[in-house]
Amino acid sequence: MNRKEVLLLSIGVFLTVIYWLVSDIYHASTEDKIKSRIAIPKSYHYEISKELLETLRNRTE
């Protein structure tokens, strides 16, 4: 290999690494935005009265 081929190969590797870094940074910045759009499912809190439990217990006996 002569110097010109080594120089072109080095420039190609350098540009590939720069492209890889920029695309990784872009991916990381858009991934946070995607995660923030995900809605947390609502949790419902139900209160069961003791009278209801007693009624159900009496039906099964």
Side-chain angles (χ1 to χ4, degrees):
M1 289 184 135
N2 59 18
R3 289 185 181 192
K4 191 173 187 178
E5 291 174 344
V6 172
L7 178 64
L8 291 176
L9 186 62
S10 299
I11 291 173
V13 169
F14 178 75
L15 291 177
T16 302
V17 169
I18 295 298
Y19 174 76
W20 189 6
L21 288 172
V22 169
S23 65
D24 191 34
I25 291 170
Y26 175 75
H27 175 71
S29 67
T30 57
E31 185 177 345
D32 290 338
K33 293 175 185 174
I34 292 171
K35 285 182 181 177
S36 65
R37 279 191 268 161
I38 297 173
I40 298 173
K42 294 181 180 179
S43 61
Y44 298 102
H45 180 69
Y46 296 105
E47 293 185 23
I48 300 175
S49 66
K50 291 183 180 182
E51 295 173 358
L52 178 63
L53 292 176
E54 287 297 324
T55 304
L56 289 174
R57 186 178 304 151
N58 290 338
R59 284 187 179 181
T60 57
E61 291 177 349

